[in-house]
Amino acid sequence: MTEEAKESISTKRGLRRNEILPFTLEFLRGRWFALFASFLIMASSGSVYLFGTYSNEIKTTLGYDQTTINLLGFSKDVGANVGILTGLIAETTPTWFVLLLGAALNFGGYFMIWLAVTGKIAKPMVWQMCVYMAIGANSQNFSNTVGVVTAVKNFPESRGSLIGLLKGYAGLSGAIITQVYLAVYGNDSKSLIFLIACLPTALSLIFIYTIRTMGPVKHPNEHRVFNQFLLLSIVLALLLMVKTLIERKITFSKGTNAVITTVLCLLLFASLYISIREALVVWNIKKQPPTAITIEQSKSQVVESSEETSTKPTSSEQVDEKIEKSCFLTVFDKPERGMDYTILQALTSIDMLILLVTTIFGLGASLTAVDNLGQIGESLGYDNRTVTTFVSIISIWNFFGRVFSGFVSETLMVKYKLPRPLMMTMVLLFSCIGYLLIAFPFPGALYIASVIIGITFGAQLPLIFAIISELFGLKYYATLFNCAQIASPLGSYIFKVKVTGAIYDTEALKDVAAKGLAAKQLTCIGSHCYRLSFIILASVSCFGALCSLILVMRTRKFYQSDIYQKFRENADTL
């Protein structure tokens, strides 16, 4: 039976009354409902993006200076990006435990911050607030690991599109939580901290037994379904973008925000309708009587499996082989690309080394540009409202970069056999244009640069995560993609603190000396403030693109093969 015939039969048939309960139970235990749950969890994981919204509340309530707030921000970044322990926990424990632990960390960290800000406990020491912040931010790694890893294992043939969607929802999560907060609490920053403590925790607990690895299942037109998910996410992003831009001119009432939030929730839950529909497709196809072709295929599969069984080594032989090839002895005895590497094999491979260097230079430069955008706007003479618009532009285009990098790279790889690292090379070269527009600005250049930097910043993480899953297998994927995340804050620290910050201060001192003023506050005004820094960032991104191109050449033959064949062979047949 062809895929088109399967879909035609399945869509014409509904559910009989006696089938409603069995279908509902199977749907709630199935991979489509798990995917919907992952979308919601990723859409609520944006606590780290909201620090700027409530940090002033912490500063004024607890009497901190700006240096202390920056220290809290650094603690947040450390907690959000150090996820190796999360990956190791995910490798050795069931997903429900990972979600439960993440929920506990989220609630524990942010609830303690809320208690401190509202004065319900004695004023904590600064180091205690740093610990609370790091714990709360670290919880994001647990939800991201569960959402991304289980979804990739359940839908391995659509991993690029899927990672783009999930990371896209994570990118929008800050705006989504903000919209819910405005509808429920109005304008109360203390209540935002409470919402951050409760909402992600509640969703993790609701879906604690839902999100789990179930393995791939053959499904008609799976890619078309993900295109529909993509369309929904784009509509959601456009709604948030329009609302954000209008809000620069008009202040919305609490009632209006409630209406917008209702529409937003309807768009989020529209993916539930798609999930139910696709689960119904699977349900109806399973009920069809087997055709002669299907029976013949089943017989041939039985014959093949029996032949494979006869050639497989006995259990004692397998035990001996495992003893001979222990963890440390096989570090340099690496399997072929696409097979399951051990953690040590992957981390010591040349491919991973190239990818990590690419991440340090590429993503490190992008993070530096994003974090300095506000001060760049100030140095070029833009007012605060316009600078805020630039930040919003980056946030929205960050989402588009995430989703489209996944979908476009998947299409280029499946249809044209182009290596996925080639997309990374193109993204890094494109980012150089944005950096040079800041280095040599003209009227309106910063608007264009914001769009380019937003797209290229968002595009990189989904590509990195997908490449790791393809080159090193899925067995230890949870640990490996968390290892890759550490490279981005390392690059950010080098280029943001040691390069951009140092050059900015030097230029500011020159301005102060030229005006004969005392250096009470180093503020630089003019296009020269960031010119040298962003020329360096453009050069750094070019070097990252070169490293990525080396990976393209190394993996060209691998991507020309059918890298998803083994997943189709192992998928359950409908």
Side-chain angles (χ1 to χ4, degrees):
M1 186 181 294
T2 64
E3 302 296 331
E4 291 79 7
K6 287 181 180 180
E7 186 175 15
S8 176
I9 291 173
S10 62
T11 52
K12 290 179 181 178
R13 298 188 58 183
L15 285 174
R16 297 186 181 94
R17 183 174 298 177
N18 62 343
E19 294 176 331
I20 293 177
L21 181 59
F23 168 75
T24 301
L25 294 176
E26 181 169 323
F27 170 66
L28 294 176
R29 293 195 297 262
R31 63 178 190 151
W32 288 105
F33 185 68
L35 180 60
F36 164 72
S38 295
F39 286 155
L40 289 189
I41 285 181
M42 296 298 282
S44 66
S45 63
S47 59
V48 296
Y49 304 114
L50 296 172
F51 179 73
T53 305
Y54 62 80
S55 59
N56 191 58
E57 189 71 45
I58 297 176
K59 181 179 181 180
T60 56
T61 304
L62 300 180
Y64 291 156
D65 55 19
Q66 190 59 39
T67 301
T68 305
I69 293 298
N70 289 339
L71 182 61
L72 289 177
F74 174 74
S75 302
K76 169 188 67 68
D77 293 339
V78 170
N81 288 287
V82 178
I84 295 180
L85 181 60
T86 305
L88 293 173
I89 292 173
E91 304 287 5
T92 56
T93 60
T95 53
W96 66 263
F97 179 79
V98 181
L99 275 177
L100 180 62
L101 187 55
L105 292 175
N106 182 84
F107 185 77
Y110 288 111
F111 188 68
M112 291 303 295
I113 294 173
W114 178 75
L115 290 176
V117 170
T118 54
K120 298 183 183 300
I121 60 174
K123 180 180 176 180
M125 303 288 287
V126 172
W127 69 267
Q128 291 175 314
M129 287 293 289
C130 289
V131 170
Y132 299 152
M133 187 65 68
I135 289 174
N138 190 250
S139 66
Q140 177 182 273
N141 293 313
F142 289 83
S143 58
N144 284 354
T145 298
V146 169
V148 173
V149 173
T150 56
V152 167
K153 289 183 178 180
N154 291 337
F155 299 89
E157 292 186 63
S158 303
R159 67 184 68 180
S161 307
L162 193 51
I163 293 174
L165 272 173
L166 289 168
K167 297 306 291 183
Y169 275 112
L172 287 177
S173 58
I176 292 172
I177 293 177
T178 299
Q179 188 56 48
V180 174
Y181 145 71
L182 290 173
V184 176
Y185 296 107
N187 191 16
D188 180 7
S189 299
K190 294 179 183 178
S191 298
L192 174 61
I193 301 173
F194 182 76
L195 180 66
I196 292 172
C198 295
L199 181 59
T201 302
L203 288 174
S204 294
L205 294 178
I206 289 172
F207 297 117
I208 194 167
Y209 291 115
T210 298
I211 304 178
R212 66 189 191 281
T213 301
M214 288 163 270
V217 177
K218 292 181 180 179
H219 186 279
N221 294 322
E222 186 175 282
H223 295 293
R224 177 182 59 80
V225 178
F226 282 105
N227 287 335
Q228 294 172 356
F229 283 130
L230 171 64
L231 180 61
L232 275 177
S233 66
I234 291 174
V235 174
L236 179 65
L238 290 175
L239 170 65
L240 290 170
M241 181 175 68
V242 171
K243 191 261 180 181
T244 300
L245 293 176
I246 294 176
E247 203 170 24
R248 304 300 169 203
K249 305 292 183 180
I250 303 173
T251 301
F252 290 104
S253 65
K254 188 175 179 180
T256 304
N257 279 315
V259 172
I260 296 173
T261 303
T262 302
V263 176
L264 184 148
C265 291
L266 290 175
L267 289 172
L268 282 173
F269 278 84
S271 58
L272 177 61
Y273 165 76
I274 297 176
S275 299
I276 294 173
R277 187 195 65 197
E278 297 310 314
L280 187 59
V281 168
V282 176
W283 174 271
N284 286 329
I285 291 175
K286 283 181 177 179
K287 292 193 302 181
Q288 300 305 313
T291 62
I293 296 175
T294 307
I295 295 173
E296 193 65 31
Q297 289 176 343
S298 300
K299 289 180 179 178
S300 64
Q301 289 173 357
V302 170
V303 172
E304 290 175 0
S305 62
S306 63
E307 291 176 352
E308 291 175 359
T309 303
S310 63
T311 59
K312 284 183 179 179
T314 63
S315 58
S316 61
E317 291 173 342
Q318 290 176 347
V319 171
D320 292 338
E321 185 179 354
K322 287 181 181 179
I323 294 174
E324 291 174 3
K325 296 184 178 181
S326 63
C327 177
F328 292 98
L329 295 178
T330 59
V331 173
F332 300 106
D333 184 18
K334 295 178 173 54
E336 296 180 0
R337 290 189 181 96
M339 304 301 290
D340 289 327
Y341 281 57
T342 66
I343 297 173
L344 290 177
Q345 285 174 338
L347 293 179
T348 56
S349 69
I350 296 177
D351 290 344
M352 179 63 87
L353 178 62
I354 295 173
L355 191 59
L356 290 176
V357 172
T358 302
T359 304
I360 289 173
F361 284 90
L363 203 54
S366 294
L367 283 169
T368 301
V370 170
D371 289 346
N372 282 277
L373 190 65
Q375 204 152 3
I376 292 169
E378 179 188 21
S379 68
L380 294 178
Y382 292 99
D383 57 32
N384 290 334
R385 176 170 288 188
T386 306
V387 169
T388 306
T389 302
F390 291 143
V391 176
S392 300
I393 289 173
I394 280 194
S395 299
I396 299 300
W397 286 101
N398 173 30
F399 160 79
F400 285 113
R402 292 184 181 206
V403 295
F404 283 120
S405 69
F407 279 82
V408 172
S409 65
E410 192 80 14
T411 301
L412 294 176
M413 187 187 70
V414 173
K415 288 189 175 182
Y416 305 104
K417 301 298 182 181
L418 294 177
R420 203 185 294 271
L422 181 61
M423 184 76 177
M424 176 69 80
T425 304
M426 297 164 60
V427 165
L428 293 179
L429 289 175
F430 186 44
S431 68
C432 296
I433 299 175
Y435 302 146
L436 292 176
L437 286 174
I438 294 175
F440 304 98
F442 55 84
L446 197 54
Y447 286 95
I448 303 173
S450 299
V451 173
I452 294 174
I453 292 172
I455 291 174
T456 54
F457 172 55
Q460 292 177 59
L461 269 182
L463 291 173
I464 294 166
F465 290 167
I467 292 168
I468 288 174
S469 72
E470 289 158 355
L471 297 183
F472 308 112
L474 298 178
K475 187 175 182 180
Y476 299 104
Y477 182 48
T479 300
L480 293 178
F481 95 81
N482 276 296
C483 289
Q485 285 193 148
I486 297 179
S488 59
L490 175 61
S492 173
Y493 175 78
I494 294 171
F495 301 123
K496 184 166 61 176
V497 178
K498 298 299 183 181
V499 176
T500 305
I503 293 175
Y504 178 89
D505 288 343
T506 301
E507 294 295 331
L509 283 171
K510 290 179 182 178
D511 285 358
V512 170
K515 295 176 182 178
L517 301 175
K520 293 181 179 179
Q521 184 175 1
L522 294 179
T523 302
C524 182
I525 302 297
S527 59
H528 63 283
C529 302
Y530 284 95
R531 177 163 294 156
L532 179 58
S533 301
F534 275 76
I535 291 175
I536 294 173
L537 291 183
S539 303
V540 160
S541 288
C542 282
F543 181 77
L546 178 62
C547 294
S548 179
L549 189 60
I550 294 173
L551 189 60
V552 171
M553 302 304 295
R554 288 177 56 85
T555 60
R556 184 181 59 206
K557 290 184 180 179
F558 168 71
Y559 279 103
Q560 286 175 348
S561 64
D562 188 356
I563 67 174
Y564 291 156
Q565 180 181 358
K566 63 179 181 180
F567 297 104
R568 284 194 294 272
E569 292 174 349
N570 296 329
D572 294 337
T573 304
L574 296 177

